[in-house]
Amino acid sequence: SRLILPVLLLAVAAPAQEVKLDYDPDADFTKYKTFGWSLAQEPAKNPANHIRITRAVEANLTAHGVTKATDGAPDLYLTYLGKVGEKVKVTGKSAGSYWEPTNLRTTVDVGKVKAGTLILEMADAHTKDVVWRGVSTTVGIRPDYMEEEINAAVKKLLADSPPKKPSEAPPEPPKP
């Protein structure tokens, strides 16, 4: 039972992460072989986080077969926006007694937690149109685990890249 407790604590301490993706369904993602960072890209306020974000994005795109352009113009230009702020977190719990059902107590805790948002965009280098956009929001981030959290956010953002066209997507299972 001693081994179970630390595992449960880790599960409770994990930050909540939400990812939203949007892309141009008419874009031919098979033609994008190289990427580069937009010249308009401003680094994150924290220079270490700028390096963490760019490294994570580059590593994940390379793992998906899209390489960083070393000479000439890339097929995709990348930009990101990363920020950390505070959100209000509300938790409630009720407690009562089996012997006195009318003795129900509800408590509500209101507090602030750190929340991070990472927005990543990919624009077609020739048309300048944004063809893919991902937003990752993580609530409950910890500054001492920033690198791990950035890596997890980028990995989740780029998990299904490049996106499949509706005709290439696997068919939905039949409904019973």
Side-chain angles (χ1 to χ4, degrees):
S1 67
R2 286 185 179 182
L3 294 176
I4 295 173
L5 184 59
V7 173
L8 290 176
L9 290 176
L10 284 175
V12 172
Q17 189 178 71
E18 181 180 334
V19 170
K20 294 180 184 177
L21 301 176
D22 189 19
Y23 63 93
D24 180 355
D26 295 327
D28 180 7
F29 285 89
T30 61
K31 72 179 184 178
Y32 302 125
K33 305 290 183 203
T34 60
F35 67 88
W37 291 99
S38 169
L39 296 176
Q41 176 64 55
E42 292 185 25
K45 286 183 181 181
N46 179 339
N49 286 342
H50 173 72
I51 293 169
R52 290 173 179 136
I53 293 168
T54 55
R55 279 186 188 163
V57 170
E58 290 175 8
N60 276 272
L61 284 177
T62 302
H64 284 88
V66 184
T67 59
K68 188 173 183 180
T70 55
D71 55 347
D75 301 321
L76 288 170
Y77 280 112
L78 308 178
T79 57
Y80 79 85
L81 172 66
K83 61 182 180 177
V84 176
E86 289 186 341
K87 286 193 172 194
V88 175
K89 182 178 179 184
V90 179
T91 55
K93 55 186 167 182
S94 297
S97 169
Y98 290 111
W99 295 276
E100 291 184 56
T102 58
N103 188 16
L104 181 65
R105 291 183 220 121
T106 302
T107 58
V108 177
D109 293 325
V110 178
K112 291 183 181 180
V113 293
K114 294 278 186 192
T117 301
L118 177 63
I119 302 169
L120 178 63
E121 290 185 342
M122 299 180 195
D124 185 294
H126 303 290
T127 65
K128 309 295 187 245
D129 294 333
V130 173
V131 293
W132 184 94
R133 184 174 199 261
V135 179
S136 175
T137 306
T138 306
V139 177
I141 63 170
R142 292 181 44 189
D144 53 335
Y145 287 100
M146 193 58 72
E147 185 159 3
E148 291 85 350
E149 298 198 20
I150 288 172
N151 288 337
V154 171
K155 185 175 183 177
K156 196 166 182 181
L157 273 175
L158 297 174
D160 294 326
S161 291
K164 306 277 188 273
K165 288 188 174 189
S167 61
E168 298 173 352
E172 290 188 28
K175 296 181 181 178

